[in-house]
Amino acid sequence: FRIFATDYELDARLHGFWAIGYIDIVKKSRFKEELKSYEADGVKNLKLQRLAVYDVPPDLHDEYFLVKLIEPEERVGVALGLDVGMESRRRKAFLYARDHGVPAIVDDIYLFRDPKRRKGILMFVPVYERNSLIVSIEDRKKNILGWAFTALKLEDFVNHAMVDQAPLLSFEIKQSVTGQLFYRSADFQKYSNG
């Protein structure tokens, strides 16, 4: 995983890139055995961690949703072992991705370990058992292995994606349910009617 993340030069190729990783599903009753298999896979010194602020009580579910792999390690490696299933917005997004077989995004998050405390997004992509027949939500639940995820600095990502269009576009990005503002182009007020 480290070789992929390093060789692909994600920081240089993907503007706004903050982290890439993999979340594994671990039954609480098998946690110690899973740690041994992680070590065999080269994942050393993984310890269960909880988010500083969480709203899903630990005894509500019988599984951990652990960050098993994450890069770049020097920037975000301390997230290894984090149980992301204890925060309802992240949990809702990755379970939606699992059930529908599509990527899902958690918006309006602060990037983990970012000294500038920038806002970002997390995108979860479900990973299913290879060669499994998946036609229903129950099939997806039965065959889910975990999720690939990435964290992006929203402002950097959007600014770079729109650099060629900047003179032509003035826009905002808002959360579709709450209407909360994520991003506003620098000249939005100048050209907006509101």
Side-chain angles (χ1 to χ4, degrees):
F1 188 73
R2 173 166 294 137
I3 292 168
F4 160 75
T6 305
D7 286 356
Y8 202 68
E9 300 174 333
L10 292 168
D11 273 325
R13 289 179 181 224
L14 181 60
H15 292 273
F17 169 77
W18 187 251
I20 188 171
Y22 179 76
I23 296 168
D24 198 17
I25 304 166
V26 178
K27 294 278 186 200
K28 288 181 178 179
S29 61
R30 295 196 31 81
F31 181 68
K32 289 183 180 175
E33 292 85 8
E34 287 294 325
L35 284 184
K36 290 177 186 167
S37 76
Y38 282 16
E39 288 181 11
D41 289 344
V43 179
K44 307 283 187 215
N45 303 318
L46 186 136
K47 296 196 180 358
L48 178 64
Q49 299 187 70
R50 294 193 166 91
L51 292 162
V53 177
Y54 60 89
D55 55 359
V56 177
D59 57 347
L60 184 67
H61 52 91
D62 65 347
E63 298 166 317
Y64 295 121
F65 300 95
L66 298 181
V67 175
K68 179 180 180 182
L69 304 169
I70 192 162
E71 290 293 334
E73 186 174 351
E74 32 321 317
R75 181 164 57 215
V76 291
V78 294
L80 198 62
L82 192 66
D83 180 6
V84 295
M86 295 187 66
E87 195 272 321
S88 61
R89 291 184 326 126
R90 287 173 173 86
R91 183 183 182 90
K92 183 178 179 182
F94 65 71
L95 292 179
Y96 181 90
R98 174 201 66 191
D99 292 350
H100 298 279
V102 297
I105 291 176
V106 177
D107 49 28
D108 194 30
I109 58 140
Y110 287 103
L111 296 166
F112 193 72
R113 302 281 296 189
D114 179 12
K116 295 181 182 176
R117 301 269 304 147
R118 287 173 284 196
K119 296 246 178 144
I121 60 173
L122 275 173
M123 181 171 59
F124 300 100
V125 179
V127 177
Y128 300 103
E129 191 74 47
R130 182 177 285 182
N131 298 323
S132 55
L133 179 62
I134 299 177
V135 293
S136 69
I137 290 176
E138 287 310 311
D139 293 337
R140 290 184 189 98
K141 288 179 179 180
K142 184 173 81 174
N143 291 290
I144 188 78
L145 295 174
W147 295 265
F149 71 91
T150 190
L152 300 171
K153 298 174 281 187
L154 186 61
E155 188 170 344
D156 291 356
F157 180 73
V158 172
N159 282 341
H160 187 271
M162 303 309 259
V163 72
D164 293 337
Q165 305 302 318
L168 306 172
L169 291 176
S170 176
F171 64 97
E172 292 180 321
I173 300 175
K174 293 184 176 183
Q175 209 278 347
S176 61
V177 175
T178 66
Q180 182 179 357
L181 180 68
F182 295 144
Y183 176 85
R184 177 179 285 152
S185 61
D187 58 354
F188 183 79
Q189 295 294 35
K190 182 176 164 184
Y191 295 109
S192 73
N193 293 329

